[in-house]
Amino acid sequence: MLKMFIESLKNLVSEPETIKYPFEPSPEPKGYRGTIHYNEELCIFCDKCENICPPGAIKFVVVDYETGKKEYNYNPYLCIYCGACVRECPKADEGCLVQVETRTPPLGRSVPKGKELGYFINRIDNPKEVESKWREIEELNIKTKEEYKAYKKAKRAQKAAAKAKGEE
Amino acid sequence: MMINPDMQIEEVTLDNVVEKIKDFYDESEWNFITVNATDLGGKLQIDWLFSKYGAKNIIKIFRAQDVSYDAFIPSIVPVIPSAWLAEWELADLFGLEVENAATGVFIAPDGPKAPLRADTKL
Amino acid sequence: MGKIVVPFGSQHVALPEPISFLFDTENEIITKVEAHIGYVHRGIEKAAITRFEYNQLPYLTARVCGLCSITHAGAVVHGIEKLMDIEVNKRIDYLRMLVVELDRIHSHMLANGHVAEVVGYENLFMQTFRAREDVMDVLERITGNRVQYDYQTIGGVARDIDLETAEFAKKKLKKLKENVLKVMEFHDSDYTFGLKTKGVGVISKEMAAKYNTAGPIARASGLETDVRAEFDYLPFEEVGYKMQTRKEGDVWARNMVRFDEVLNSIEMCENILDNLPQGEHQVKVKGRPKGETVVRVEAPRGECFYYLKASGKKVMDRVRIRVPTYANIPILKELFLGAKYSDAQAIVLSFDPCMSCTAR
Ligand code: SF4
Ligand code: SF4
């Protein structure tokens, strides 16, 4: 007991082990798994990241059936920061999808912005809407994918029909 | 390193499983792991699993095939006193009738019934 | 005096986890116990066979438990690799072993700290937790997160370890060892701590075998069972694993077994860091899982068991998780009978219960 008493007294003068967060900043350690950043120019739209993402925090929405253009939507407040998408991405080495070492700020009065976060979060201003708007994206993701598939099928059928006609 | 369990499977029926386990089980030699049910689409496969102390990779499995949802599962608690928890789980999560089992231990009384059955959609 | 029913949990100052016991007591002595454990049932087994594909399972099962997320992710990874016939290289084995052992260290330190807290030794609790911070830092540096490690993936580990990190880990481990020895000394010889823990909640070896006890609780009673010795999933023997047992079987012995294991784990980690084999940290993965297998891994709290069944589809047919606390609840219930109500807290905490694992 006496030994513990001495140990405790030593504590009074030794360096503190804790940080006074939130009054002092709590910096990310080296190699921290933070936000996922995306670069549309490098993306080949293979959907691998969408398929692996365990909570479904990446959703592509087809915006133009004619050209097949897809928009990348990322919800940093659903993401579990596992990094699986980056490991899966074939263009990750070039910097298409990277996990940076900074945290996403907690969802307070404002929403983080930035091109690298994808379309979803940049279109929202009210933090309270993140959840409901994400549900819309999830529905859109399923709907547009099906419609795009049907569109492509119809297009192919059309082509085949035109070809058959031409041969006649 | 790839795992390589030596699974020794012995087929049993619900009628003779208690007796078989009674003959086989020696508490200083075998560790009872758990009772597990697997839904193979309307029919269950129930496994009683044991591992051997001091040996490598040995898993003994007593397996009852084609168990229907309304079967009566006998209890092995007289042989293995710690088995009650795993048995009660069958009653809660698969909705089976298990000897001497209490329900509501694993899921709340107003929770879904028999969630792990293949036809239970949540 | 008549019978008095005392509820213990689901919320209680001494309980870190939601479990509830209803004790029938007579003159402070517990005569009957009723346990409810399903407060945090999240249906993970159901989710694993409906919503998630096999390659997402390591991330899902890592969330079964906050303390041994490494164990659960590791267990499915070992199982799925078996079902897909993937052989990983030595470096991956060693890196996996490193995080598994670091995980054991921090979990054991937490458990021992909690025991000190509930027996009323707040100061020792703080010292233990302070020492624990070092291993948390190492894990955070290696995996990139403090709690959710997501380190093991099918066919490898998420990231390789560089020289700088290895040096950092070695330095921290050295400091940790000093601190552990110091804290262990307090647990070992402190008079007041001994009064509350020695001879309390004694499990004999026979009883441990009869109720199929797992992990440090069994080893504290002299029952020699450790999955690391009974199931080949990682080459522990190569890096100096030794089974730790004690004879006493009381709350104190459980704490001491955990400290013995912490010291052994530190030694293993140092060996791993010194002898890391060369190689890639990921191997090629092809195909889909098919067949059935069982996996046993040694979680900090004891044997963690998985049964996996797949039939070549993206979604598995069955994922059964049996965690160590689940195996120890029957003996816990037995132990309460005849014990004093005032000892119940120390007994529960000495089991290091993890209810979110148990209820899944
Ligand atoms: S880090 Fe994980 S959760 Fe986040 S977007 Fe990538 S795969 Fe999804
Ligand atoms: S995995 Fe990479 S390349 Fe493929 S869609 Fe996602 S971000 Fe684009």
Side-chain angles (χ1 to χ4, degrees):
Chain A
M1 258 213 289
L2 185 66
K3 267 198 246 156
M4 186 48 122
F5 186 66
I6 296 168
E7 189 67 34
S8 304
L9 279 183
K10 272 199 219 154
N11 272 346
L12 286 177
V13 289
S14 67
E15 247 181 56
E17 197 80 23
T18 47
I19 305 172
K20 288 202 177 68
Y21 185 80
F23 305 108
E24 272 173 29
S26 160
E28 290 93 347
K30 204 165 166 285
Y32 186 78
R33 297 203 315 263
T35 320
I36 305 292
H37 282 185
Y38 170 73
N39 185 343
E40 191 172 11
E41 271 117 61
L42 296 169
C43 183
I44 54 170
F45 300 102
C46 62
D47 287 6
K48 277 192 176 153
C49 51
E50 180 187 308
N51 293 337
I52 186 83
C53 182
I58 294 178
K59 293 282 175 205
F60 282 99
V61 171
V62 189
V63 284
D64 189 351
Y65 296 142
E66 205 65 51
T67 55
K69 185 176 165 9
K70 287 183 198 168
E71 277 182 1
Y72 165 93
N73 294 292
Y74 168 61
N75 185 349
Y77 298 103
L78 192 62
C79 180
I80 56 174
Y81 304 104
C82 59
C85 49
V86 179
R87 279 195 289 283
E88 208 65 14
C89 179
K91 293 278 169 192
D93 291 342
E94 278 124 88
C96 175
L97 216 53
V98 278
Q99 187 154 31
V100 295
E101 289 186 12
T102 47
R103 293 185 190 100
T104 311
L107 193 58
R109 295 220 172 82
S110 64
V111 191
K113 298 278 172 211
K115 194 160 176 279
E116 68 285 352
L117 292 176
Y119 289 92
F120 168 69
I121 207 85
N122 282 313
R123 286 183 183 147
I124 291 177
D125 291 318
N126 184 356
K128 291 207 179 86
E129 281 178 354
V130 170
E131 229 181 296
S132 59
K133 282 272 175 2
W134 184 254
R135 233 166 277 136
E136 283 171 26
I137 292 277
E138 282 175 334
E139 279 160 21
L140 265 181
N141 165 270
I142 298 169
K143 196 176 132 233
T144 57
K145 277 210 166 154
E146 272 168 13
E147 282 180 7
Y148 183 49
K149 229 189 195 163
Y151 174 82
K152 274 205 290 196
K153 207 172 154 194
K155 200 91 194 262
R156 253 188 317 221
Q158 232 176 33
K159 246 192 190 158
K163 210 174 157 201
K165 229 182 192 170
E167 274 168 15
E168 256 172 31
Chain B
M1 197 163 185
M2 205 200 295
I3 55 165
N4 202 9
D6 174 11
M7 292 196 273
Q8 306 165 355
I9 301 175
E10 187 174 332
E11 299 278 337
V12 291
T13 62
L14 290 182
D15 300 327
N16 68 10
V17 59
V18 178
E19 222 147 273
K20 282 253 169 105
I21 290 179
K22 200 171 177 180
D23 290 342
F24 153 84
Y25 184 67
D26 175 357
E27 64 184 32
S28 60
E29 199 181 333
W30 292 93
N31 168 34
F32 167 72
I33 301 177
T34 194
V35 188
N36 176 44
T38 307
D39 196 325
L40 302 171
K43 287 282 175 204
L44 297 173
Q45 160 195 313
I46 299 189
D47 296 337
W48 285 262
L49 301 118
F50 298 84
S51 68
K52 194 165 188 172
Y53 290 127
K56 280 246 184 221
N57 297 336
I58 294 181
I59 308 280
K60 174 86 186 174
I61 303 177
F62 290 90
R63 175 165 292 178
Q65 302 268 25
D66 288 340
V67 178
S68 65
Y69 286 150
D70 49 16
F72 178 77
I73 315 289
S75 170
I76 57 166
V77 172
V79 189
I80 302 165
S82 64
W84 57 272
L85 192 61
E87 289 178 353
W88 292 12
E89 184 180 324
L90 294 184
D92 263 351
L93 301 188
F94 283 92
L96 297 174
E97 200 186 327
V98 183
E99 194 179 343
N100 294 333
T103 51
V105 176
F106 286 87
I107 28 182
D110 55 350
K113 298 278 171 280
L116 283 182
R117 283 188 189 174
D119 55 2
T120 308
K121 293 271 175 291
L122 295 177
Chain C
M1 261 257 301
K3 185 185 85 172
I4 294 177
V5 181
V6 187
F8 182 56
S10 59
Q11 290 186 28
H12 187 279
V13 277
L15 279 174
E17 310 249 350
I19 179 170
S20 107
F21 295 102
L22 277 182
F23 294 132
D24 286 8
T25 56
E26 268 169 51
N27 285 338
E28 287 256 325
I29 304 290
I30 298 166
T31 53
K32 192 167 153 259
V33 189
E34 205 180 298
H36 289 273
I37 57 176
Y39 288 94
V40 276
H41 181 80
R42 288 151 290 160
I44 287 187
E45 284 180 9
K46 181 73 175 177
I49 52 170
T50 49
R51 293 213 179 159
F52 290 87
E53 291 168 8
Y54 74 93
N55 51 9
Q56 297 172 332
L57 284 186
Y59 308 105
L60 173 71
T61 56
R63 276 138 190 94
V64 169
C65 174
L67 274 164
C68 36
S69 60
I70 292 230
T71 311
H72 287 280
V76 260
V77 162
H78 290 304
I80 292 177
E81 280 175 3
K82 164 82 182 165
L83 297 181
M84 291 170 76
D85 230 355
I86 300 168
E87 179 84 53
V88 298
N89 63 34
K90 259 269 154 68
R91 188 176 180 89
I92 296 174
D93 275 344
Y94 271 57
L95 286 174
R96 282 180 181 171
M97 212 150 43
L98 177 66
V99 286
V100 165
E101 290 311 313
L102 287 171
D103 188 49
R104 191 180 323 279
I105 297 172
H106 93 71
S107 178
H108 279 356
M109 300 284 285
L110 176 122
N112 288 349
H114 272 316
V115 174
E117 189 194 12
V118 294
V119 301
Y121 207 156
E122 204 67 40
N123 210 338
L124 186 54
F125 157 73
M126 280 187 232
Q127 298 289 348
T128 316
F129 267 58
R130 177 182 204 158
R132 173 175 177 259
E133 236 10 71
D134 284 325
V135 63
M136 299 299 283
D137 285 346
V138 176
L139 269 173
E140 188 171 26
R141 182 74 178 265
I142 292 176
T143 64
N145 197 299
R146 199 179 138 95
V147 178
Q148 291 299 351
Y149 306 112
D150 291 325
Y151 193 61
Q152 292 110 319
T153 59
I154 297 167
V157 292
R159 48 161 106 176
D160 210 344
I161 187 168
D162 56 19
L163 266 180
E164 202 187 322
T165 310
E167 281 311 314
F168 175 81
K170 268 189 227 164
K171 219 171 65 211
K172 284 274 184 185
L173 281 173
K174 206 160 143 239
K175 181 164 157 227
L176 177 75
K177 193 165 177 180
E178 280 164 25
N179 285 336
V180 169
L181 285 172
K182 202 154 65 186
V183 180
M184 188 173 171
E185 170 72 27
F186 290 128
H187 282 259
D188 191 4
S189 59
D190 199 281
Y191 176 68
T192 41
F193 185 72
L195 279 184
K196 276 284 221 169
T197 52
K198 283 187 184 164
V200 175
V202 178
I203 304 174
S204 65
K205 188 176 170 182
E206 290 71 37
M207 214 170 147
K210 186 174 171 198
Y211 287 92
N212 297 298
T213 318
I217 293 101
R219 292 194 285 279
S221 306
L223 183 68
E224 292 190 359
T225 172
D226 189 327
V227 180
R228 284 177 286 174
E230 288 172 10
F231 198 77
D232 283 326
Y233 62 104
L234 288 170
F236 287 106
E237 266 106 5
E238 282 176 24
V239 292
Y241 157 72
K242 283 185 223 69
M243 193 185 296
Q244 309 293 333
T245 54
R246 293 251 171 177
K247 297 248 151 34
E248 295 87 345
D250 51 8
V251 173
W252 179 83
R254 275 167 231 148
N255 260 24
M256 293 324 279
V257 154
R258 279 187 216 120
F259 273 124
D260 293 343
E261 288 188 2
V262 165
L263 290 175
N264 186 220
S265 294
I266 293 176
E267 196 190 315
M268 285 161 74
C269 288
E270 283 171 344
N271 281 342
I272 293 169
L273 287 167
D274 286 335
N275 303 312
L276 258 186
Q278 292 302 320
E280 290 287 312
H281 71 287
Q282 283 276 348
V283 296
K284 282 250 165 338
V285 178
K286 269 209 310 288
R288 297 255 176 89
K290 200 170 172 141
E292 62 167 353
T293 190
V294 297
V295 190
R296 298 174 75 204
V297 295
E298 180 78 10
R301 293 169 180 73
E303 173 196 10
C304 179
F305 171 85
Y306 270 71
Y307 172 81
L308 301 171
K309 189 169 165 56
S311 50
K313 290 199 279 289
K314 271 191 176 167
V315 180
M316 311 273 285
D317 291 343
R318 178 79 168 118
V319 177
R320 164 64 201 250
I321 309 166
R322 200 231 53 183
V323 297
T325 306
Y326 192 99
N328 286 335
I329 283 179
I331 182 115
L332 182 58
K333 203 173 158 184
E334 218 57 34
L335 214 51
F336 280 142
L337 299 177
K340 279 212 224 84
Y341 175 71
S342 57
D343 288 338
Q345 307 179 3
I347 293 175
V348 177
L349 265 293
S350 75
F351 270 70
D352 193 7
C354 178
M355 296 327 294
S356 67
C357 276
T358 311
R360 299 173 310 259

